[in-house]
Amino acid sequence: MPRYEYRCRTCGDTFELSRPMAESAAPAACPAGHDDTVKLLSAVAVGGTAAQSKPASGGCCGGGCCG
């Protein structure tokens, strides 16, 4: 289930809620009970390694066949 981050406009606290995507736009009260909150845009970092491919050699304008 996705986690969404919110900020309370009343007290300034930020908090996260796990909720279905269908409820992502539903209002969320802060843990202190304030109702004036806004959903924050979260940056997602994706890491990993990928095999690097070597540039293709040969072919027109890459292998000396042009000109």
Side-chain angles (χ1 to χ4, degrees):
M1 188 171 322
R3 294 186 61 82
Y4 298 96
E5 188 174 16
Y6 298 85
R7 183 176 54 83
C8 178
R9 292 180 180 169
T10 304
C11 65
D13 285 345
T14 58
F15 58 97
E16 292 183 354
L17 290 178
S18 292
R19 50 177 32 179
M21 290 173 58
E23 297 177 15
S24 68
C30 86
H34 305 121
D35 291 325
D36 189 13
T37 60
V38 62
K39 188 170 89 171
L40 302 176
L41 295 175
S42 299
V44 176
V46 178
T49 59
Q52 293 184 0
S53 60
K54 295 181 181 179
S57 60
C60 190
C61 299
C65 67
C66 299

